[in-house]
Amino acid sequence: MAGGSKLRARGVIVGVLLAVLTVLTACAGPSQYYEGTGLHDITTAEVAGGWENVEGTRVVLRENGTALLEKLDGQDFDFDEGWRLSGTGTWQLRDDEGGQVVRLSLTAGTRAERRPLATTTDASPPESPSTYAWTFYVDRDQHDELKLFFFYGDPDIGNTYVMTRATTTAPPSK
């Protein structure tokens, strides 16, 4: 019987350790420890131009470091607030250890609107920041085309907000 008690005690200890590890890693979603795409050879000229996503967001990154934004959602948990920002700002391509990123800052907002949500009937403008900064990771798709993305919502889920080259050349409205 003494051997059975020791075995049971070890089983309890292992179970407790597994439970502790589960709790410690429960909030370690993909975006929290994402280190980048590993790309280090992209030029500013390659990133400059028009970008869009399927939600109607449009961004123009000019080679002189200025930017036009239309209906750009917040990243990470800010996305859950439901606002979309339009206006002007600045951008720069930076080379971080894990890969290149685009830092985009809204410096003069012209409009804030609510993202269409199935669960709300409130059409009033959402409470939104007057300035905001995004960090887009720079990557290439399966066709070697550039794409920009950031994580949004709950970091445990790892949702990505992807921007691809704009199919039209018209700048976003002001």
Side-chain angles (χ1 to χ4, degrees):
M1 289 290 213
S5 294
K6 286 182 183 180
L7 189 57
R8 241 186 322 248
R10 286 185 185 153
V12 168
I13 291 171
V14 169
V16 167
L17 287 174
L18 286 174
V20 168
L21 285 174
T22 300
V23 169
L24 290 176
T25 60
C27 294
S31 69
Q32 288 182 328
Y33 301 109
Y34 187 73
E35 294 184 18
T37 62
L39 293 179
H40 296 281
D41 62 346
I42 307 303
T43 66
T44 299
E46 287 178 280
V47 176
W51 296 89
E52 63 189 5
N53 80 359
V54 296
E55 298 293 323
T57 298
R58 294 188 33 84
V59 174
V60 175
L61 305 175
R62 295 181 178 141
E63 284 195 54
N64 67 2
T66 62
L68 297 172
L69 299 74
E70 183 177 6
K71 300 180 182 178
L72 186 54
D73 297 287
Q75 67 184 76
D76 299 323
F77 281 116
D78 290 338
F79 181 85
D80 297 335
E81 298 297 317
W83 48 256
R84 309 183 91 194
L85 302 175
S86 298
T88 60
T90 60
W91 74 279
Q92 62 180 220
L93 178 65
R94 297 190 43 187
D95 196 355
D96 289 350
E97 186 176 322
Q100 289 172 291
V101 296
V102 169
R103 306 261 193 220
L104 174 62
S105 297
L106 174 72
T107 55
T110 56
R111 185 174 67 242
E113 56 191 84
R114 186 172 301 284
R115 183 177 57 252
L117 300 173
T119 59
T120 185
T121 58
D122 184 4
S124 65
E127 211 172 297
S128 60
S130 58
T131 61
Y132 194 79
W134 294 263
T135 299
F136 286 90
Y137 294 100
V138 180
D139 201 4
R140 293 196 182 275
D141 66 14
Q142 66 272 17
H143 304 291
D144 209 30
E145 299 292 326
L146 280 184
K147 66 179 181 176
L148 306 176
F149 72 94
F150 61 76
F151 293 100
Y152 70 91
D154 185 337
D156 291 332
I157 297 172
N159 291 323
T160 53
Y161 192 95
V162 179
M163 303 286 294
T164 58
R165 281 286 174 201
T167 56
T168 60
T169 57
S173 60
K174 292 184 181 179

